[in-house]
Amino acid sequence: MKQRRRSDSPPQAAGTVPAPRTLQKVLIANRGEIALRIVRACQELGIRSVAVYSDADATAPHVREADEAVHIGPAPAAESYLRGDHLIEVAKRVGADAIHPGYGFLSEREWFARAVRAAGLIWIGPPAEAIAAMGSKTAARTLAIAAGTPVVPGTTEPLRDAEEAATIAARFGFPVLLKAAAGGGGKGMRIVREAGEIAGALASAQREAKNAFGDDAVYVEKYIEGPRHVEIQILADQHGHCIALGERECSVQRRHQKMIEEAPSVAVTPDLRKRMGEAAVAAAKAAGYVNAGTCEFLLAQDGQFYFLEMNTRIQVEHPVTELVMGIDLVQWQLRIAAGEPLPFRESPAPRGWAIECRITSEDPANGFLPSTGRIEHLQVPTGPGVRWDGGITRGSVVGLSYDPMLAKLIVFAPDRASAIARMERALRELVIDGVETSREFHLRMLADEEFRRGDITIQWLEAKLPTLLAARPPAETVRAAAIAAALIASADRGAAAAPGQLPAASPAASSAAIAGANAWGRKARVEALRRG
Ligand code: MV4
């Protein structure tokens, strides 16, 4: 077990806000950009941070920036970041008094929250009971109904058979949606548009639910056509105060993976924000919620909103809320866990506009296949209103062991149009060489007229995909490709390079360096070919 300690980091640097006294040292049971985000929050509060890392992450930014780092095992998450028992042991050994789980991995495992508490450590998240209450979709629905939070018309009891399913569907009217009670992420979901389809749909939904969750319970909801996905951020302290922090518009998604998020939503008026906020707070209070959490809603075309589920963790897209609300959510997770009361009783109004693009190592031109490799070059966008929450540096190796999200690019501007312009500028500044990324695809989405009008639903991206992929590459990509193609052609013809302009000594080596070994050159050739 390797352990590193930094000597240049005093427990509390001058000028920082005093650390909540009960939190002196936090173990971060995560990796990548969110682990680094939590390290930064700890530093600003004068709290010591302990990173953990697998074989694949020994030189990762979250490891480098934390005060201490502990090696926890091989690359596969099941043998490292998911080893809850081991992580608790490590926390005890290094003298941490708390564990922050980030998102994904162990963040929503009820047993882990319980085990952390049982070990005498502070869990920086909601109570295990609240995680459990929101873990089952039908239990969450029952809880929301009791709290007066609107849910989609439907049932809360598992269906017994196809006959019962048909009777209930007829009552709510087609189309209906069959959903797995233990579900999430769209698994075990079937749209049923007419009575004849229901028996087959029920059987396949039950089979899929059984395989995915070990539980074949399936229930019925009215199917909402063409809604937006709008979620409400909440913060709840240990003293019974819970506030809503406005909405995030998360409709731009593909296969349940969000690609762009923004705050506020073009579809949410101050009155709707107030009603959705109250609905989210009521559901959270009914679950005994403490810490940061998010209620997911469908916002239908007629303006009705329906509670779907609650995410009992900090979410990937939390920065857009931080920017428009002027609140550091991760700092507040730490302060709440330390017992500090929330300083406000009323929901603040959002100010300005924030947009986030999830930069992934996926190749949109190739069915979003994960792309692997070494980051050979990285130029991070900067300048007014730009924030980069990233987990990579030059030299990082992107493999297949973890999620393909490399970083989040977030912008903040006075209004939506200027936020879009700022994001386009920032995406153009961004250079990632070595793996394929979603960068250019993000530029294509932002250029779309419907997106620019805010005219988006949860179906928008998947419906637009063929058009977006067929679109001409952006002008600056074509220009770069043309220049690269000219250089390559020149080198291929054996022309002598001007001194200092090409990386290698001989024309043949130059050609190889640009065309083969250099991923940028390769990409340029592809772009140049695509033009022709
Ligand atoms: C729905 C729905 C339409 N009507 N429920 C997808 C995953 C799960 N969290 C809930 N989901 C949906 N539930 C009714 N009654 C449409 C979806 C849905 C969806 C919701 C949020 C974000 C993206 C989505 C993509 C496809 C379907």
Side-chain angles (χ1 to χ4, degrees), residues 137 152-153 177 179 184-187 189 221-225 227-229 250-251 253 255-256 258 296-298 308-309 458-459 462:
K137 304 306 146 206
V152 189
L177 190 57
K179 287 189 174 182
K187 282 220 185 74
M189 249 174 37
E221 282 181 17
K222 174 87 187 146
Y223 180 63
I224 308 295
E225 305 259 17
R228 290 169 183 265
H229 179 202
C250 302
S251 298
Q253 58 86 36
R255 301 194 176 173
H256 305 288
K258 297 164 186 167
E296 285 189 12
F297 293 93
L298 290 178
L308 275 184
E309 53 196 78
I458 59 173
Q459 277 95 29
E462 281 170 46

Side-chain angles (χ1 to χ4, degrees), residues 500-522:
Q501 280 195 334
L502 289 173
S506 77
S510 300
S511 176
I514 296 170
N518 182 328
W520 188 79
R522 219 159 43 226

Side-chain angles (χ1 to χ4, degrees), residues 389-439:
D389 278 21
I392 53 163
T393 52
R394 182 210 286 248
S396 293
V397 173
V398 180
L400 293 171
S401 296
Y402 312 113
D403 186 275
M405 195 179 78
L406 303 175
K408 305 176 310 204
L409 177 56
I410 310 119
V411 298
F412 181 52
D415 54 65
R416 190 168 187 269
S418 33
I420 292 173
R422 184 159 273 175
M423 181 62 88
E424 293 180 310
R425 186 270 291 172
L427 283 166
R428 289 195 189 102
E429 273 184 35
L430 171 63
V431 180
I432 301 177
D433 285 345
V435 293
E436 297 296 332
T437 76
S438 57
R439 187 199 78 108

